[in-house]
């Protein structure tokens, strides 16, 4: 059974600081997703990482994937208040990678 | 395209009542799935379908039924609602051969 662990689950940051969210998973997969969710809203896709060593960046967020270590990271650079949200990683599995297994999410609060 | 449409957005049920959560997509996506989101648990897969007439169980299928008679629709049925089914339900779809999922806006269900 695939297990996905995110840490930390809660993260309080000051504006301008850097931090990393970690996503570990238990079985082989080469497809990993990062989502953002604002309170009361649906999931917004941030990144899809498809191969070992994949790195993607969008604004102050950068995601990477190490399939050998079964680890993905979401790095936040110079945080701003607008980044406050819950961030989820999800790992694909099953035939044609149809099934997503989500981490429990990281609630990020960026304080002025 | 309307994307993935979920109805209703909010629902309150009494224990033992039945209801159907609707999910429709107009993008001709082969793959559709239902997730539930509970505080601190991330999203968990309930049922999924890889095409019309084909459904399968996810991680937490008990108490839920699904069918897929058309490509567009993937309803989720609660036959006898229980308080443990109080949750936010998300429907998602993805075309075959693509990596990107589209999530609906969610249905917030309370069972009293």
């Amino acid at each position: 059974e695939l297990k996905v662990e995110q840490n930390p689950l809660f993260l309080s940051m000051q504006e301008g600081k850097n931090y990393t969210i970690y996503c570990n998973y238990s079985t082989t997969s080469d497809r990993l997703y990062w989502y953002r969710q604002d309170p009361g809203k649906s999931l917004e896709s941030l990144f899809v990482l498809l191969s070992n060593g994949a790195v993607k960046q969008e604004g102050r967020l950068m995601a990477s994937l190490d399939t050998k270590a079964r680890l993905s990271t979401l790095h936040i650079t110079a945080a701003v208040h607008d980044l406050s949200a819950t961030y989820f990683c999800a790992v694909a599995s099953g035939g044609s990678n149809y099934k997503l297994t989500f981490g429990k999410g990281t609630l990020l609060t960026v304080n002025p | 395209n309307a994307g993935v449409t979920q109805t209703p957005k909010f629902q309150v049920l009494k224990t033992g009542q039945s209801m159907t959560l609707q999910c429709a997509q107009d993008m001709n996506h082969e793959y559709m799935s239902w997730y539930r989101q509970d505080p601190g648990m991330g999203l968990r897969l309930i049922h999924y379908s890889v095409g019309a007439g084909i459904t399968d169980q996810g991680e937490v299928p008990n108490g839920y039924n699904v069918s897929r008679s058309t490509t567009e629709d993937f309803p989720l049925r609660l036959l006898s609602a229980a308080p443990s089914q109080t949750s936010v339900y998300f429907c998602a779809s993805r075309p075959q051969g693509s990596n990107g999922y589209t999530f609906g806006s969610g249905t917030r269900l309370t069972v009293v």
Side-chain angles (χ1 to χ4, degrees):
Chain A
E1 179 187 350
L2 173 60
K3 294 192 183 301
V4 179
E5 288 191 6
Q6 266 182 257
N7 67 82
L9 298 182
F10 301 94
L11 179 54
S12 182
M13 300 176 61
Q14 281 189 314
E15 281 190 330
K17 299 292 187 183
N18 305 331
Y19 210 84
T20 300
I21 299 171
Y22 297 89
C23 177
N24 290 88
Y25 54 99
S26 61
T27 62
T28 301
S29 175
D30 59 1
R31 197 164 303 192
L32 189 139
Y33 298 78
W34 284 97
Y35 291 95
R36 168 183 171 143
Q37 186 180 42
D38 293 302
K41 302 295 186 182
S42 186
L43 278 74
E44 173 191 353
S45 179
L46 295 175
F47 302 107
V48 182
L49 303 170
L50 300 176
S51 61
N52 187 43
V55 176
K56 290 195 174 181
Q57 182 164 5
E58 181 73 34
R60 301 175 187 274
L61 301 178
M62 183 175 71
S64 66
L65 177 62
D66 182 342
T67 59
K68 294 179 181 178
R70 298 176 186 165
L71 170 68
S72 180
T73 60
L74 180 65
H75 187 72
I76 303 156
T77 301
V80 294
H81 179 70
D82 285 352
L83 290 179
S84 297
T86 299
Y87 293 85
F88 292 96
C89 65
V91 179
S93 64
S96 299
N97 289 304
Y98 281 133
K99 296 193 284 188
L100 291 182
T101 301
F102 283 80
K104 293 184 177 181
T106 297
L107 176 58
L108 172 64
T109 304
V110 181
N111 303 303
Chain B
N1 288 347
V4 177
T5 302
Q6 289 186 239
T7 56
K9 293 190 183 305
F10 301 93
Q11 182 72 48
V12 178
L13 285 180
K14 293 183 178 180
T15 298
Q17 285 186 317
S18 63
M19 80 159 296
T20 300
L21 280 64
Q22 302 291 345
C23 176
Q25 51 91 7
D26 60 356
M27 300 171 285
N28 204 32
H29 287 179
E30 288 83 1
Y31 176 65
M32 297 184 74
S33 55
W34 278 102
Y35 292 85
R36 62 176 288 173
Q37 182 177 24
D38 302 296
M41 296 294 292
L43 280 76
R44 292 180 291 170
L45 181 64
I46 304 171
H47 285 286
Y48 65 98
S49 168
V50 300
I54 307 170
T55 63
D56 206 346
Q57 296 181 350
E59 181 184 354
V60 287
N62 292 341
Y64 307 95
N65 283 346
V66 292
S67 60
R68 184 96 179 268
S69 56
T70 66
T71 300
E72 295 77 19
D73 299 299
F74 191 44
L76 180 71
R77 297 183 184 86
L78 286 70
L79 298 180
S80 179
S84 61
Q85 294 177 306
T86 294
S87 188
V88 180
Y89 292 84
F90 288 99
C91 179
S93 73
R94 197 197 90 185
Q96 189 176 17
S98 168
N99 299 309
Y101 289 83
T102 302
F103 280 82
S105 59
T107 295
R108 186 173 296 272
L109 176 68
T110 302
V111 182
V112 297

